[in-house]
């Protein structure tokens, strides 16, 4: 280095990243694997018994709009086109035109809150997934039990 003023000054070394300033420019250097992002762990399993969140007024509108749009444009398979058309129509609505959809959304929200209260009460009582099963798991379990009992064949222990 010919001149002390031109030598890079190390400002910060943290988590394997060095930042240095050279007169007139900024340098950033990554060092090894320490600079890579940590891998995420597996997300907790979702409870199939938990109630779904209610749709907003726009999504209540979308349910009806999709059916109308499908009738008017039977050959259109593009989800983006339906969304764009619905968004444009929703923006053109006045508050009075949006009101019925907002009322339906509020009703669904009230139902959701009731269901969540019941769901949280069940969790607080200590009921587990095995005790409170979804309809799908009940039918699968019952089908399995019927198959084992009704076959009439004995299994050999080899």
């Amino acid at each position: 280095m010919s001149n002390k003023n031109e030598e890079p000054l190390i400002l910060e070394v943290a988590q394997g990243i060095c930042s240095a300033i050279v007169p007139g420019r900024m340098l950033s250097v990554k060092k090894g694997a320490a600079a890579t992002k940590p891998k995420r762990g597996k997300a907790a399993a979702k409870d199939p018994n938990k109630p779904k969140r209610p749709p907003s007024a726009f999504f209540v509108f979308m349910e009806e709009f999709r059916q109308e749009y499908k009738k008017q444009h039977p050959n259109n398979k593009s989800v983006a086109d339906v969304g764009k058309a619905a968004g444009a129509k929703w923006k053109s609505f006045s508050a009075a035109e949006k009101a019925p959809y907002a009322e339906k959304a509020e009703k669904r929200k009230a139902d959701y809150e009731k269901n969540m209260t019941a769901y949280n009460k069940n969790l607080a009582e200590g009921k587990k997934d095995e005790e409170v099963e979804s309809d799908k798991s009940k039918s699968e379990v019952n089908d399995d039990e019927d198959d084992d009992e009704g076959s009439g064949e004995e299994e050999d222990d080899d």
Side-chain angles (χ1 to χ4, degrees), residues 92-106:
S92 70
F93 278 177
S94 66
E97 292 172 314
K98 291 180 182 181
Y101 301 108
E103 288 174 16
K104 289 178 185 178
E106 285 299 319

Side-chain angles (χ1 to χ4, degrees), residues 10 19 22 25 29 37 44 60 66-67 74 78 89 120 125 136 143 150:
I10 297 176
S19 296
V22 175
R25 64 180 181 204
V29 181
K37 293 181 181 179
V60 173
R66 276 189 205 101
Q67 294 171 356
S78 175
K89 188 171 182 179
N120 289 331
E125 290 174 357
K136 288 182 182 177
D143 290 343

Side-chain angles (χ1 to χ4, degrees), residues 20-144:
I21 294 180
V22 175
R25 64 180 181 204
M26 171 105 176
L27 300 176
S28 182
V29 181
K30 292 184 179 179
K31 302 262 183 173
T36 61
K37 293 181 181 179
K39 293 183 180 180
R40 294 183 184 183
K42 291 185 179 180
K46 293 184 179 179
D47 186 356
N49 299 318
K50 186 174 181 177
K52 283 187 169 183
R53 292 182 64 192
S56 66
F58 175 72
F59 283 100
V60 173
F61 162 74
M62 279 291 293
E63 290 171 359
E64 293 179 11
F65 183 82
R66 276 189 205 101
Q67 294 171 356
E68 293 172 16
Y69 193 85
K70 213 177 219 184
K71 289 176 186 175
Q72 294 172 359
H73 304 88
N75 296 330
N76 188 355
K77 304 286 183 187
S78 175
V79 175
D81 289 344
V82 176
K84 287 176 185 177
K89 188 171 182 179
W90 181 258
K91 285 181 182 178
S92 70
F93 278 177
S94 66
E97 292 172 314
K98 291 180 182 181
Y101 301 108
E103 288 174 16
K104 289 178 185 178
E106 285 299 319
K107 287 179 185 176
R108 289 188 184 185
K109 186 176 180 181
D111 291 341
Y112 168 76
E113 288 172 354
K114 287 179 189 176
N115 292 338
M116 276 304 292
T117 302
Y119 172 78
N120 289 331
K121 183 179 177 184
N122 286 339
L123 285 180
E125 290 174 357
K127 292 185 179 181
K128 299 194 180 190
D129 289 339
E130 294 82 23
E131 295 175 20
V132 180
E133 296 176 347
S134 67
D135 293 337
K136 288 182 182 177
S137 62
K138 284 182 183 177
S139 65
E140 291 170 1
V141 170
N142 291 339
D143 290 343
D144 292 342

